[in-house]
Amino acid sequence: MTTDTLSLTFAALADPTRRAILKRLTSGEASVTELAAPFRITLPAITKHLKVLQRAGLITRTRQAQWRPCRLEAAPLKDAADWVEQYRRFWDERLDRLEEYLREMQEEDKRHGRTPK
Amino acid sequence: MTTDTLSLTFAALADPTRRAILKRLTSGEASVTELAAPFRITLPAITKHLKVLQRAGLITRTRQAQWRPCRLEAAPLKDAADWVEQYRRFWDERLDRLEEYLREMQEEDKRHGRTPK
């Protein structure tokens, strides 16, 4: 079981329901019932997802209010973004190579007097 | 068990050993033995990690060569980056609020003739 912050963040994001919950919270605080509404899953199942998000520091639950609304905490996502960003040049490289290949194909076509596809 | 691409990517990243393997592959292809070397774990454990990375499309293994080197495939990381980037304004907002708070504190100090801390 990994417990480093980045692993907790990525593990929390590795589920479509949890990602949808975070998305919903971008438009403001919400109660557990409100968060459960769009999903065909039980309240205990939602609570389990919320615990994973809470453990990763991606949401907090207000203690003051009776209904304890959930609130998005985006800070851990910054580290996740920074980690992934290190690889940008590798996915860009692939696109660069593809662009270069297409350019070469077009030049080849021109040399042979073909109209580009 | 989630099988959507984004969940597979995030789940693959939710482990420090797997992240270290990807990091190692940024400097070029490597054999399983080479990838295992820096870790105090068994070859079968590394193979298990490689399977998770392979299933997420983050690495490929060349079929031609006898030693079947592993190779980084960064494309799925682009979608992960795009997903996380949607939340940038939320972590920036927090920093903006903190900056604003510090500015207010400094102005308060000036008004009271205190030297800034």
Side-chain angles (χ1 to χ4, degrees):
Chain A
M1 182 107 190
T2 48
T3 46
D4 68 279
T5 317
L6 206 48
S7 297
L8 284 177
T9 307
F10 283 133
L13 300 181
D15 182 279
T17 305
R18 288 198 291 270
R19 291 198 302 276
I21 291 172
L22 293 179
K23 189 98 172 177
R24 163 62 187 83
L25 292 176
T26 60
S27 50
E29 295 186 354
S31 70
V32 178
T33 322
E34 283 170 330
L35 288 173
F39 305 107
R40 287 167 174 273
I41 52 174
T42 60
L43 223 59
I46 281 285
T47 308
K48 213 172 152 190
H49 281 311
L50 293 179
K51 274 188 187 151
V52 177
L53 291 169
Q54 210 167 351
R55 191 162 168 246
L58 289 164
I59 63 166
T60 47
R61 299 189 65 181
T62 319
R63 290 221 167 265
Q64 292 91 330
Q66 193 63 31
W67 56 296
R68 299 190 65 213
C70 298
R71 177 202 176 94
L72 175 71
E73 299 294 340
L77 294 177
K78 190 191 177 306
D79 292 333
D82 288 346
W83 189 90
V84 179
E85 273 303 313
Q86 302 176 84
Y87 292 83
R88 173 172 293 278
R89 64 189 176 100
F90 296 97
W91 73 71
D92 282 350
E93 244 171 40
R94 290 295 290 267
L95 288 175
D96 289 350
R97 281 212 297 274
L98 184 66
E99 267 177 12
E100 199 184 325
Y101 171 79
L102 290 173
R103 203 161 37 236
E104 278 169 18
M105 287 293 102
Q106 286 174 345
E107 276 165 21
E108 190 85 350
D109 280 345
K110 267 188 225 158
R111 265 201 300 282
H112 292 87
R114 289 188 287 241
T115 46
K117 288 161 202 101
Chain B
M1 182 105 189
T2 48
T3 46
D4 68 280
T5 317
L6 207 47
S7 297
L8 285 177
T9 307
F10 283 132
L13 300 182
D15 182 278
T17 306
R18 290 199 290 271
R19 291 197 303 276
I21 291 172
L22 293 179
K23 188 97 172 179
R24 163 63 187 84
L25 292 175
T26 60
S27 50
E29 296 186 353
S31 69
V32 178
T33 322
E34 284 171 328
L35 289 173
F39 305 106
R40 286 166 175 273
I41 53 175
T42 60
L43 224 58
I46 282 285
T47 308
K48 213 171 152 191
H49 281 311
L50 293 178
K51 274 188 188 153
V52 176
L53 291 169
Q54 210 168 351
R55 192 161 167 247
L58 289 165
I59 64 165
T60 48
R61 298 189 65 181
T62 319
R63 290 220 168 267
Q64 292 91 332
Q66 194 63 29
W67 56 297
R68 300 190 63 213
C70 298
R71 178 202 175 94
L72 175 70
E73 300 293 340
L77 294 177
K78 190 190 178 308
D79 293 333
D82 287 347
W83 189 89
V84 179
E85 273 303 315
Q86 301 176 85
Y87 292 82
R88 174 172 292 277
R89 63 186 177 100
F90 296 97
W91 72 71
D92 282 351
E93 244 170 42
R94 291 295 291 266
L95 288 174
D96 289 351
R97 280 211 300 273
L98 184 65
E99 267 176 13
E100 199 184 325
Y101 171 78
L102 290 173
R103 204 162 34 238
E104 277 169 19
M105 287 294 102
Q106 286 173 346
E107 276 165 21
E108 190 85 350
D109 280 344
K110 265 188 227 159
R111 264 200 301 279
H112 292 88
R114 289 188 288 244
T115 46
K117 290 161 200 103

